């Protein structure tokens, strides 16, 4: 059986027009710019317009990624879309995107691993591509967390933003290898024992409502640093690569202090860390492809660079991935 490796062929992203600053938030809840910047690094975030949904943002990002890859929607075999804030309970947001971009073949489905969703979706798409079951695949992360925030809870409403990002993967012949372009390795984990630290208190089966995000921030923080460091160590160990081989670190953008803490622990230089948390806030499953798009478009991440990804989200879910761009 021919083996393939998943090569990043294109990337695209979308942010809603409306920008909410820390000062805007200070007019809504008992908070201030200084607290938000010092504790999180966030300066502003984008918020979807009324009526603007996760699928609409995903479609913008998907079209930009297709254009960047020079791929037609009709060439796609697969869409895996990561979201915890779908337009509807069903059908999947992925099939809405499939329809809107004009992809009338293959298959599309959603993945819910909250803030780790993009990594999960990437690993799933990769496994279809390496077996030759999908020659061209799209991975999307898209969220409207603004719809599940309690806008009176200062401990959570200052942290999140809306947006979408997408990548196109193309199967190139040859097994994944260290020197070749493509996804080299992924490592996913979850542990359902800590549900009460990060969850949404609503859902179709339990409450028939959408609910609001609830988070014990400082406890999640501690788990994030430990679990993410473990996942990174595992991908390096499994591949035999060293920290010194890594060109860029593209983490899930939850908190500047988490990014810096992990980078420091690993021995990565500050300027190897792609951080968009100041301008985007935490966009959950969208944060990694949004950050990747920024760093590719501004010329920092180039073809053949080795990139390390990581994320942790509700569940807990977490993981890391290594790819040569
Ligand atoms: O993406 C999914 C994974 N999520 C994460 O990784 C998030 C991880 N957690 C965090 O990023 C941080 O824990 C937060 C940014 C959420 C909070 O920072 P912290 O340094 O852990 O603060 P804290 O929760 O311990 O709160 C410290 C104080 C409290 O006051 P007291 O009890 O010390 O008097 C809070 O009530 O800060 C207060 N506080 C605020 N003050 C002003 C909490 N939120 C705010 C606020 N403005 N928005």
């Amino acid at each position: 059986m021919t083996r393939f490796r998943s090569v990043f062929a294109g990337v695209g992203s979308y942010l809603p027009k409306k920008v909410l600053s820390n000062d805007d938030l200070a007019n809504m809840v008992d908070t201030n710019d200084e607290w938000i910047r010092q504790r999180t690094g966030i300066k502003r975030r984008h918020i979807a317009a009324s009526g603007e949904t996760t699928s609409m943002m995903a479609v913008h990002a998907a079209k930009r990624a297709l254009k960047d890859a020079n791929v037609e929607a009709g060439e796609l075999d697969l869409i895996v879309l990561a979201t915890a804030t779908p337009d509807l309970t069903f059908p999947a947001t992925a099939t809405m995107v499939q329809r809107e971009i004009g992809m009338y073949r293959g298959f599309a489905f959603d993945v819910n691993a909250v803030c780790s969703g993009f990594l999960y979706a990437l690993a799933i798409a990769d496994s279809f591509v390496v077996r030759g079951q999908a020659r061209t695949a799209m991975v999307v992360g898209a969220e409207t967390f603004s719809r599940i925030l309690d806008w009176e809870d200062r401990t959570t409403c200052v942290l999140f933003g809306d947006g979408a990002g997408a990548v196109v993967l193309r199967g190139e012949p040859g097994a994944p290898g260290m020197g070749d372009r493509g996804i080299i390795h992924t490592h996913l984990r979850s542990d359902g024992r800590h549900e009460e630290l990060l969850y949404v208190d609503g859902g179709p089966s339990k409450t028939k409502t959408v609910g609001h995000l609830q988070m014990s921030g400082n406890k999640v923080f501690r788990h994030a640093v430990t679990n993410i460091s473990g996942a990174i160590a595992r991908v390096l160990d499994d591949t035999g690569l060293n920290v010194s081989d890594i060109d860029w670190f593209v983490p899930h953008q939850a908190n500047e202090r988490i990014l810096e803490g992990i980078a420091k622990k690993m021995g990565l230089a500050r300027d190897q860390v792609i951080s968009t948390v100041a301008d985007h806030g935490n966009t959950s499953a969208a944060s990694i492809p949004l950050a990747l798009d920024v760093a590719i478009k501004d010329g920092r991440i180039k073809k053949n660079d080795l990139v390390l990804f990581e994320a942790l989200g509700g569940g807990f879910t977490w993981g890391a991935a290594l790819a040569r761009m």
Side-chain angles (χ1 to χ4, degrees):
M1 200 171 75
T2 316
R3 290 268 290 177
F4 296 88
R5 61 204 151 79
S6 314
V7 174
F8 283 81
V11 58
S13 65
Y14 172 82
L15 288 161
K17 275 198 192 72
K18 184 179 170 188
V19 174
L20 194 68
S21 70
N22 291 347
D23 288 338
D24 293 333
L25 280 162
N27 291 323
M28 295 159 65
V29 287
D30 180 16
T31 191
N32 56 75
D33 177 55
E34 197 193 350
W35 189 95
I36 302 172
R37 278 187 200 226
Q38 274 182 5
R39 302 284 178 133
T40 72
I42 301 168
K43 295 179 185 164
R44 58 190 76 84
R45 70 286 291 143
H46 292 251
I47 301 292
S50 143
E52 189 173 34
T53 65
T54 295
S55 73
M56 291 176 191
M57 297 195 298
V59 166
H60 287 300
K63 286 182 175 170
R64 289 172 184 173
L66 286 171
K67 194 166 176 227
D68 191 47
N70 201 17
V71 164
E72 297 292 328
E75 291 174 59
L76 289 174
D77 303 304
L78 167 67
I79 297 175
V80 188
L81 186 146
T83 191
T85 47
D87 288 23
L88 298 173
T89 301
F90 76 79
T93 304
T95 54
M96 299 175 186
V97 174
Q98 182 186 23
R99 176 188 67 222
E100 294 305 314
I101 63 173
M103 173 192 164
Y104 307 121
R105 61 196 292 272
F107 59 113
F109 60 92
D110 286 0
V111 167
N112 180 353
V114 204
C115 296
S116 313
F118 183 78
L119 278 189
Y120 270 60
L122 189 74
I124 292 165
D126 179 48
S127 64
F128 282 104
V129 172
V130 294
R131 279 169 190 77
Q133 289 166 298
R135 196 63 200 267
T136 311
M138 178 178 276
V139 182
V140 189
E143 303 277 17
T144 41
F145 262 47
S146 61
R147 304 267 154 74
I148 55 163
L149 293 175
D150 174 353
W151 288 100
E152 291 178 3
D153 175 9
R154 69 174 184 171
T155 68
T156 52
C157 76
V158 304
L159 304 173
F160 296 90
D162 299 332
V167 300
V168 175
L169 300 176
R170 203 170 357 216
E172 301 280 347
M178 303 305 157
D180 296 319
R181 290 182 63 209
I183 296 172
I184 295 168
H185 195 46
T186 59
H187 177 70
L188 303 180
R189 286 292 314 277
S190 66
D191 183 345
R193 287 175 295 179
H194 305 291
E195 177 182 323
E196 79 291 350
L197 299 184
L198 179 51
Y199 67 103
V200 172
D201 61 2
S205 176
K206 196 162 183 178
T207 64
K208 295 190 273 180
T209 61
V210 172
H212 289 127
L213 184 146
Q214 312 288 339
M215 178 163 72
S216 304
N218 46 17
K219 289 191 181 140
V220 174
F221 193 109
R222 271 178 262 138
H223 280 279
V225 174
T226 311
N227 293 354
I228 291 166
S229 301
I232 291 171
R234 179 64 188 268
V235 290
L236 290 174
D237 202 37
D238 286 353
T239 54
L241 289 164
N242 296 310
V243 172
S244 57
D245 297 314
I246 295 165
D247 296 302
W248 299 103
F249 180 42
V250 183
H252 166 52
Q253 310 283 319
N255 186 321
E256 188 68 36
R257 283 156 54 212
I258 298 180
L259 316 192
E260 280 178 3
I262 292 168
K264 201 169 159 196
K265 213 169 156 181
M266 287 175 59
L268 284 170
R270 181 69 197 84
D271 61 7
Q272 287 178 282
V273 182
I274 306 300
S275 175
T276 51
V277 71
D279 296 326
H280 301 172
N282 180 347
T283 57
S284 182
S287 90
I288 290 177
L290 269 162
L292 184 67
D293 194 27
V294 166
I296 289 178
K297 299 282 155 61
D298 71 18
R300 277 179 289 173
I301 298 181
K302 296 183 187 65
K303 251 187 196 167
N304 290 309
D305 283 352
L306 188 68
V307 178
L308 171 68
F309 302 97
E310 58 80 353
L312 176 131
F316 290 132
T317 56
W318 70 98
L322 268 172
R324 194 169 291 286
M325 286 293 123

